[in-house]
């Protein structure tokens, strides 16, 4: 690989941006396509599928190899609640990097979340060190606007691939009013999955966690719009 290509690829990786290295195995020529440029590439359809799956591989022509570099997806749960206790280990098994943020130190304890990245700070402080990006899913689970609203606004602004919020339709209606008053656009507000999780009639915290994780995975692998259709 040419040094310039390697440098460009490493820059994308360091910034948690996806890219695809396209190599003609017959000639050895290679080029790098950043995710932001993929839609305009002659291989746009194939690149879209590969970026969604994260899988490298040879094309049907038998000579073009795609090396897909996709940032590890992560799930940030706002709220060290019972749902998060069930969600965190399942999400880790599914390959997601999990972080729990909750300023309530009575809930955000290592005893309740063993082996999980736990930040017992207000989201306004915590997100200074772990800003959201397009490969982050955000699940707001506290029911408390003082804790949930800021990360929801940040998630929408950052283009997170999944944004969900716990609460009834009435609760979400009030949330929508607050977000609109705060200057969030209506199109962005409509991206919030609420009520959160696939509609599987989940009742217990563990069942709700299953529904949330399924919706997150659908958004990651199928795209946000397809995940919404499945909900």
């Amino acid at each position: 690989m040419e040094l310039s290509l390697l440098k460009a690829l490493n820059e994308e990786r360091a910034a948690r941006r996806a890219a695809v290295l396209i190599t003609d195995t017959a000639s050895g020529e290679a080029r790098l396509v950043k995710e932001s440029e993929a839609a305009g590439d002659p291989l746009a359809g194939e690149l879209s599928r590969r970026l969604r799956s994260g899988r490298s591989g040879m094309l049907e022509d038998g000579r073009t190899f795609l090396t897909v570099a996709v940032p590890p997806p992560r799930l940030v749960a706002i709220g060290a609640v019972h749902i998060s206790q069930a969600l965190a280990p399942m999400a880790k098994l599914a390959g997601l990097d999990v972080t729990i943020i909750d300023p309530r130190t009575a809930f955000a304890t290592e005893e309740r979340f063993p082996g999980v990245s736990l930040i017992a700070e207000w989201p306004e402080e915590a997100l200074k060190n772990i800003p959201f990006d397009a490969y982050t899913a955000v699940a707001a689970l506290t029911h408390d606007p003082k804790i949930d609203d800021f990360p929801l606004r940040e998630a929408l602004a950052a283009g997170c691939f999944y944004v969900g919020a716990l609460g009834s339709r009435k609760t979400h209606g009030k949330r929508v009013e607050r977000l609109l008053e705060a200057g969030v656009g209506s199109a962005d507000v409509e991206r919030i999955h609420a009520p959160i999780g696939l509609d599987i009639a989940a009742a217990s915290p563990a069942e709700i966690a299953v529904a949330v994780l399924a919706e997150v995975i659908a958004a990651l692998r199928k795209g946000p719009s397809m995940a919404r259709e499945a909900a």
Side-chain angles (χ1 to χ4, degrees), residues 1-170:
M1 184 191 304
E2 294 181 5
L3 184 59
S4 59
L5 284 179
L6 178 60
K7 182 180 179 182
L9 178 58
N10 286 338
E11 287 177 351
E12 295 307 294
R13 284 173 168 163
R16 280 184 56 86
R17 294 190 295 259
V20 181
L21 183 68
I22 302 175
T23 304
D24 184 329
T25 58
S27 67
E29 294 182 355
R31 61 189 178 93
L32 185 70
V33 179
K34 301 176 183 178
E35 184 174 24
S36 60
E37 303 166 343
D41 193 87
L43 297 175
E46 184 65 29
L47 293 178
S48 177
R49 287 189 288 273
R50 295 281 180 167
L51 287 167
R52 189 66 62 195
S53 69
R55 293 179 179 174
S56 301
M58 188 76 76
L59 298 189
E60 291 183 353
D61 64 7
R63 60 180 287 175
T64 305
F65 191 87
L66 304 186
T67 304
V68 181
V70 176
R74 63 185 177 188
L75 168 64
V76 177
I78 308 300
V81 296
H82 292 308
I83 295 171
S84 301
Q85 285 182 288
L87 178 60
M90 290 192 295
K92 290 179 69 176
L93 284 173
L96 296 164
D97 292 336
V98 179
T99 297
I100 308 290
I101 298 175
D102 196 324
R104 301 169 298 184
T105 54
F107 298 149
T109 66
E110 292 185 4
E111 290 75 16
R112 299 183 72 227
F113 294 91
V116 177
S117 175
L118 188 63
I119 303 176
E121 297 178 348
W122 286 92
E124 288 86 338
E125 292 299 318
L127 296 183
K128 291 178 181 177
N129 297 318
I130 54 162
F132 295 149
D133 57 37
Y135 284 86
T136 301
V138 177
L141 302 172
T142 74
H143 273 305
D144 187 339
K146 297 191 301 298
I147 301 175
D148 285 347
D149 282 8
F150 177 80
L152 285 174
R153 295 198 303 270
E154 291 294 299
L156 295 171
C160 291
F161 74 87
Y162 175 86
V163 183
L166 187 68
S168 66
R169 297 187 187 282
K170 181 179 179 180

Side-chain angles (χ1 to χ4, degrees), residues 193-218:
H193 292 263
I196 196 170
L198 292 184
D199 184 6
I200 57 173
S204 69
E207 291 175 352
I208 296 171
V210 170
V212 172
L213 181 58
E215 200 168 53
V216 169
I217 292 173

